C-alpha cells in the first residue's frame, strides 16, 4: 500500500495556466480557472497580471478542485478592472 503525502500548505511558484474566468465588480470578486489542482489554498494571495503588469491583488476566499474565487483589494490596484483571460499568479 502506497503512502500519500499531504498536499502542500501553500502554492509553490506560479502554477501555469491560471486565469480570470469572470469579474464581478460590485463585490470585487474574480473567478479563477485553477484551484486545488493548481496548488491554491484558502487565504493565499493572488495577483492579476495583464501584459506583464500586476493590475490587482487579492486573496482566495472560495476553493474548489478546478476553480477558485478571490476577493480583490482594488484600492491597491492599478485602477484597471480585471478581465476574462488575464493571468492569475500566486507567489
Amino acid at each position: 500500500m502506497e503512502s500519500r503525502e499531504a498536499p502542500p500548505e501553500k502554492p509553490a511558484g506560479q502554477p501555469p495556466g491560471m486565469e480570470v474566468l469572470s469579474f464581478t465588480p460590485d463585490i470585487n470578486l474574480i473567478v479563477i480557472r485553477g484551484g486545488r489542482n493548481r496548488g491554491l489554498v484558502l487565504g493565499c494571495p493572488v495577483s492579476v497580471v495583464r501584459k506583464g503588469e500586476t493590475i490587482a491583488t487579492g486573496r482566495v476566499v472560495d476553493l474548489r478542485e478546478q476553480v477558485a474565487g478571490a476577493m480583490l483589494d482594488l484600492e491597491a490596484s492599478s485602477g484597471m478592472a480585471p478581465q476574462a483571460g488575464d493571468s492569475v499568479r500566486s507567489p
Side-chain angles (χ1 to χ4, degrees):
M1 185 170 176
E2 292 183 57
S3 65
R4 292 187 179 196
E5 292 183 21
E9 292 190 18
K10 59 183 176 179
Q14 298 173 8
M18 291 194 299
E19 67 181 16
V20 174
L21 291 175
S22 66
F23 172 57
T24 306
D26 54 330
I27 58 172
N28 298 336
L29 179 79
I30 58 170
V31 177
I32 303 167
R33 180 173 61 90
R36 285 186 200 97
N37 65 329
R38 302 291 181 161
L40 293 178
V41 295
L42 281 174
C44 74
V46 294
S47 298
V48 179
V49 178
R50 182 183 302 149
K51 296 181 181 176
E53 179 185 345
T54 298
I55 63 166
T57 60
R59 294 208 174 264
V60 173
V61 295
D62 187 22
L63 186 61
R64 313 286 170 95
E65 184 60 29
Q66 297 182 12
V67 295
M71 295 295 292
L72 300 180
D73 178 8
L74 293 183
E75 291 181 13
S77 74
S78 68
M80 296 191 310
Q83 299 174 348
D86 286 341
S87 295
V88 176
R89 297 183 182 161
S90 181

